[in-house]
Amino acid sequence: MNEKDSSSSVAHVIVLLAGTMVCVSVGVMADDLQFTDVTDASGIDFSVETPSKQMLNNSHFYGGIGIADFDGNGTLDLFFSGIGSTNDTLYLNDGTGSFTDVSAAWGLDDLHFSCGVGAGDFDNDGWIDLAVASAGDASIPGGSPGGYRLYRNLGGTGFEDVATSAGVNNVAPGSVQHPTFASAGDFNADGLLDLLYGSWQVFAEGNRFYLNDGDNTFTDVTHTLDFHDEVRQAKGFSANVIDMDGDLNPDIVWVADFGRSAYFRNDGDNTFTNLTPANGTGIDSSGMGSAILDFNHDGTLDWFVGCIWFDEKPTNFNGNTMYMQYADHQYINMAASFGLHDSGWSWSCSAVDLDHDGFQDFVIGNGIQNRVEFRDEPETILRKTSLNGNYYNVTSESGLDLACQSTSSGSFDMDGDGDMDLVFYCNDGSVHLYRNDSPNLGSWLQVTLGGDPENRIPNNGFNTRVEARVGSTTHVRYMDGNPSYSASGPLMLHFGLGDAQLIDELTIKWINGEVDVLSNVPVNQLIHIDPDSGGGDPVAGDLDGNGVVSGTDLAIVLAGWGSCPKPPQECIADIDGDGFVGGVDIGIVLGNWTIP
């Protein structure tokens, strides 16, 4: 274990100066959570006209979002998969939340019946690639086989489709599936990202698991890993690859419609065991979206599944489930107990701390156009404000005024201010982007991770668990690529930390068993951590990255004194991330001084 412990004096300096210079309120009222629709100002102009049933059956299921830094400039970009008459589209972010369509120049403007999107570095070259599920040619009614895409990132300047050479273009040969999702995840923990595909069409063999061979090809292991019998009859909607019990063997949780969700325990010997329903999972009757979180702060990971709820419901629509883990691979559904069971007709979902009070909220895409009772269901925010308290629907108070059947949605920091903004893909409508303008937010931390594929750690830290301890409270996040129904990303971990000004310990548990611990980490910053360096830039104040804090770092702070420039210009001297280079930043440098 590599432990990087900052001097204890830095804690006193930060607390003293922060008390006089930084005012943070965490007593956030419901109407203090505020979002503003900034779609028009953002430059995003993406909309879809859903094809008719004669052209594409269940076309209201289609469309997806990929959120990642595709050009390597440190900001999060947006990829939208098109449906029929709308091309796939890539928007690059300039760092301020202003986006530019570069689809044609980057080779990402295909026209097909596309659906779910997975993002990750499949070839370990340091650039984020894209997997896109598809029903094929948009000019052929019903689609055609062989249309799946695997886009290789060409060094942050464009993409090429390598699905055919990689062996993943024709997921179910001879069949036109009903594609739903494409997810990245290293389920054999060898440092290479594998692929999981989903289909809503039973017996079409569209639910598939592909193992990355490490030579830009993939092998279908659906049969050899004994997944086949469980998933061939499942209407697959989303999947997460995640180590649920901390044994360093990534498990797979699979969300499917009509009561076919499954929980696959990784047995550590290249085999998986389906524990459903004996372990308390699989009771969701209409599973669609998926999110992993530690919702009760007990240090174990829980599993939220977005489903359908009827107020006067048939018995087979029992609402969302919150599978709380109370022992290794053992769960109980706590959704109704915490007010989480009812969010209408739920599609994709995100677990995210929107107000930075230390408790993760839920953002859920909602509604369906061909059902009268759900046609005007709003996209939903369910908010939590205390450890043992309920979740409350604060959608209307928050300014989120959208009801568009958002099958795909996501949360990400579009403008680099630390809080999480929202994006909604509206089936048969326009994409909507909402900026988080909440006035009274707590502290935060954002973490991006490197990789070491040769030592079984995938790039972007897939399968890495990160724990932020503040006093007696530990906040847990896990890098699984943030997949949900049709959506993926961002490849970043976001923490809301209440009124904390310092993280006592930030523990990084890599999937290969290595552990790094950073001590006395300042809040309100984005940090990058690499496994090889024992935590990347472990000592706060080491601005020149030479491993020590000295006069050079102090000079950088003094040279940058005052308000930070607007993004995308860097402001590395702003160590505490408050937008101003001042006394707090000097205090951090002096507190970590390592050269006399």
Side-chain angles (χ1 to χ4, degrees), residues 50-110:
T50 305
S52 67
K53 184 175 182 180
Q54 289 72 31
M55 191 67 184
L56 182 66
N57 192 31
N58 288 322
S59 57
H60 58 283
F61 284 16
Y62 283 69
I65 302 174
I67 306 171
D69 179 10
F70 296 112
D71 60 354
N73 72 341
T75 65
L76 292 170
D77 311 308
L78 293 170
F79 171 80
F80 302 113
S81 62
I83 315 173
S85 61
T86 302
N87 299 68
D88 292 348
T89 305
L90 173 66
Y91 289 93
L92 296 184
N93 186 353
D94 71 354
T96 67
S98 179
F99 294 83
T100 301
D101 182 351
V102 298
S103 309
W106 279 56
L108 281 180
D109 60 346
D110 280 2

Side-chain angles (χ1 to χ4, degrees), residues 244 279-284 289-297 300-307 318-326 330-342 349-351 360-362 364 382 384 391:
M244 296 299 289
N279 71 337
T281 64
I283 64 173
D284 49 282
S290 179
I292 304 294
L293 72 160
D294 175 16
F295 94 106
N296 57 342
H297 284 194
T300 61
L301 294 173
D302 311 302
W303 179 25
F304 176 83
V305 178
C307 304
N318 54 12
N320 303 327
T321 57
M322 169 55 80
Y323 295 119
M324 185 184 76
Q325 186 171 192
Y326 62 88
Q330 298 297 316
Y331 297 83
I332 184 171
N333 179 20
M334 300 297 291
S337 300
F338 285 88
L340 276 171
H341 59 292
D342 179 12
C349 49
S350 302
Q360 287 181 277
D361 314 299
F362 286 100
I364 302 172
L382 298 176
K384 186 178 184 181
Y391 287 81

